[in-house]
Amino acid sequence: MRNPHQLGAIAPSSKAVACLAASVVPNTGEAVVVELGAGGGVISDAIRRRLPPGGRQIAVELNDGMVRHLRRSRPWLEVIPGDAGDLGKFLGQAGVTQVDAVVSSLPWTLFDEQHQKRILDEVSAVLAVGGTFSTVITLAAMPFRRFRQFRALLKGTFTTVGVLGPVWLNVPPALVFTASTSCPSPGRVA
Ligand SMILES: C[S@@+](CC[C@H](N)C(=O)[O-])C[C@H]1O[C@@H](n2cnc3c(N)ncnc32)[C@H](O)[C@@H]1O
């Protein structure tokens, strides 16, 4: 409530949305998963339920109060305070070079195009080939120009973009966009 321009939501995601967003998390092997904008932690919990033991779960969160809350309530979560636009730097400091899934509920329509692109480029750079990015988008956000900008950037950044939902059991109802790149780009070293 104190920071609407950072949180970008009137209510936390529902468990149904959290479950759908977390469905891109591998449920076998020792995967590394990153969550962007963990907030109150409802999606963190859904990721944890899916991720097998031995996996690594990291959350990047900008809001200091949310960071304190996550650290207090979810000691099993690696919480990195900061802007998702610095994802590569943060993961480097954490000794991570590639991740298997990135799950986001960032408020994309609060970001200008440059900020949207910076975050998507960072996600694309750290995501392993065959890994998937998912992001929650509420139906209320869809009429905005910044949503159309975001969708165009998403399509330009990844080779495959899909949509899951809608989930009506959420305030407001929401979709989950998924994106992945199935082949390494020519400039990318395997
Ligand atoms: C819409 S809330 C989602 C919270 C929670 N994950 C959920 O689904 O209920 C967005 C979250 O993203 C965080 N956030 C906003 N901008 C961010 C940024 N640039 N980098 C990291 N986190 C950010 C906010 O502080 C907030 O916790």
Side-chain angles (χ1 to χ4, degrees):
M1 291 290 275
R2 260 187 246 121
N3 219 337
H5 297 297
Q6 201 174 78
L7 296 187
I10 54 170
S13 296
S14 67
K15 284 190 176 172
V17 164
C19 179
L20 201 58
S23 65
V24 301
V25 171
N27 58 3
T28 57
E30 297 187 346
V32 180
V33 178
V34 173
E35 181 185 2
L36 305 178
V42 64
I43 297 180
S44 318
D45 294 343
I47 294 171
R48 186 172 198 229
R49 279 194 291 276
R50 197 174 155 89
L51 191 65
R56 190 165 171 190
Q57 185 174 346
I58 299 167
V60 178
E61 171 55 53
L62 188 62
N63 181 280
D64 292 338
M66 291 298 187
V67 167
R68 281 194 298 276
H69 161 76
L70 289 165
R71 285 183 169 156
R72 210 172 35 236
S73 60
R74 292 162 176 82
W76 41 266
L77 185 61
E78 283 182 58
V79 184
I80 298 177
D83 188 320
D86 294 322
L87 180 62
K89 181 184 84 179
F90 294 145
L91 291 180
Q93 289 165 351
V96 173
T97 50
Q98 278 206 327
V99 304
D100 301 290
V102 178
V103 179
S104 148
S105 52
L106 289 173
W108 294 103
T109 54
L110 298 184
F111 304 154
D112 64 23
E113 192 172 10
Q114 205 185 346
H115 198 181
Q116 291 178 346
K117 180 168 171 22
R118 185 168 132 222
I119 298 172
L120 288 177
D121 284 346
E122 293 280 312
V123 171
S124 157
V126 299
L127 197 58
V129 170
T132 306
F133 169 57
S134 73
T135 189
V136 176
I137 302 279
T138 65
L139 298 190
M142 294 183 70
F144 290 96
R145 183 176 53 86
R146 283 186 173 175
F147 165 71
R148 291 192 295 279
Q149 263 169 9
F150 169 74
R151 191 176 48 190
L153 286 172
L154 195 64
K155 287 184 176 163
T157 308
F158 296 92
T159 54
T160 309
V161 173
V163 188
L164 307 173
V167 179
W168 300 107
L169 267 181
N170 194 67
V171 184
L175 297 169
V176 172
F177 279 69
T178 61
S180 58
T181 298
S182 41
C183 298
S185 73
R188 198 161 163 176
V189 180

